[in-house]
Amino acid sequence: MIVLLPPSETKHPGGDGPPLRLDTLSLPELTPLRAALVDELVKLAADESACMKALGLSKSQRAEIERNAALRNAPTLPAINRYTGVLYDALDIQSLKGAAADRARSRLAVGSALFGVVRADDAIPAYRLSATSKLPGQPGLSTRWRPLLEPLLAQLAKEELVVDLRSGSYAALGRLPGAVQVEVVSERADGKRAVVSHFNKAHKGRLARVLASTRSEPDDAGAVATIARRAGMRVERDGDRLTIVVTA
């Protein structure tokens, strides 16, 4: 099973790994576009105003430009330790130990606007690039990534069950029909439901933790739902789509 996570805008700084080596990352078929994007971001970082516009940065986020300028030489961290935020707090990878931690690191992957998809232990630097960013003189990132990502993801899905927890903009970089899709809704006392926005990432992070560390090897959406229910989640299934229902 592969649990495919969204990235986060915020990232842990620094690291204790060597500078980025694209040839060591998973899915080497993605290396040419990864290299091109790194080159473009480093070059763009030399023009502060253009960089802020392309990446949607405010004046208080100038440090993000410095991160991109240093992409080739900055220290790295395993991808699963690089990303921060609500989902990654709920996942809490650092608290998993022993066999559970090993299972999690073998199952977790992250969708990335810069790297396409990385596995948990792929060593990456801090960077700034969102799925919706538009680099000067280039097509949108979904246009650039789809021809490469979609066949690779489709091949992975033939080999293993994929639970796709990516947000819409990152899923658009490489669509994956047939993966287990998950949404989170809140239910009021009167039965009315609404899609959860603010806490959506937290619930997906908890699901990711359960799936990443379980001893079970689910092979379809029904088995994924069973694992989630055993962990105390209320889950409904409609084909390959699961809905986590939380009390409003």
Side-chain angles (χ1 to χ4, degrees):
M1 173 176 58
I2 297 172
V3 182
L4 185 53
L5 306 173
S8 60
E9 296 289 358
T10 56
K11 300 170 183 69
H12 286 294
D16 54 10
L20 176 65
R21 285 190 53 189
L22 294 174
D23 61 339
T24 66
L25 299 183
S26 302
L27 303 176
E29 298 91 338
L30 304 179
T31 299
L33 183 50
R34 288 166 171 165
L37 290 172
V38 167
D39 288 344
E40 289 167 26
L41 286 180
V42 170
K43 181 179 179 180
L44 182 62
D47 185 335
E48 182 177 291
S49 61
C51 191
M52 293 176 70
K53 180 179 179 181
L55 303 182
L57 301 176
S58 65
K59 292 182 179 179
S60 64
Q61 294 175 303
R62 285 193 175 96
E64 302 286 356
I65 300 176
E66 296 172 5
R67 284 182 171 184
N68 283 358
L71 273 173
R72 295 194 186 97
N73 303 310
T76 57
L77 282 173
I80 201 61
N81 302 121
R82 176 63 72 190
Y83 299 100
T84 66
V86 174
L87 186 150
Y88 290 89
D89 288 344
L91 171 61
D92 194 14
I93 189 72
Q94 302 286 16
S95 68
L96 295 175
K97 306 299 180 184
D102 292 340
R103 285 191 292 269
R105 290 186 174 275
S106 69
R107 290 171 174 169
L108 292 170
V110 183
S112 165
L114 179 55
F115 300 112
V117 169
V118 287
R119 301 303 291 256
D121 285 329
D122 283 339
I124 60 172
Y127 67 92
R128 181 63 177 239
L129 183 67
S130 303
T132 55
S133 298
K134 181 68 166 61
L135 298 179
Q138 297 292 342
L141 290 172
S142 60
T143 299
R144 302 176 74 180
W145 273 121
R146 277 182 188 170
L148 296 174
L149 264 183
E150 290 188 348
L152 285 178
L153 290 174
Q155 183 58 42
L156 287 177
K158 290 180 181 178
E159 301 167 0
E160 300 184 74
L161 179 70
V162 178
V163 181
D164 191 353
L165 301 181
R166 294 175 297 168
S167 57
S169 60
Y170 284 92
L173 299 182
R175 296 163 297 189
L176 185 52
V180 178
Q181 306 288 333
V182 179
E183 69 172 354
V184 183
V185 300
S186 62
E187 185 175 78
R188 300 188 332 197
D190 61 7
K192 292 184 178 179
R193 292 181 173 183
V195 175
V196 172
S197 55
H198 182 65
F199 294 108
N200 173 62
K201 293 179 181 179
H203 292 293
K204 285 187 174 181
R206 295 185 189 110
L207 177 62
R209 180 182 174 87
V210 170
L211 295 178
S213 58
T214 181
R215 291 190 180 95
S216 301
E217 287 290 350
D219 57 6
D220 62 18
V224 171
T226 297
I227 293 169
R229 289 170 186 145
R230 287 174 181 166
M233 295 181 171
R234 181 182 170 191
V235 179
E236 297 174 354
R237 178 191 177 192
D238 181 7
D240 289 329
R241 179 169 292 277
L242 301 182
T243 301
I244 299 173
V245 183
V246 297
T247 302

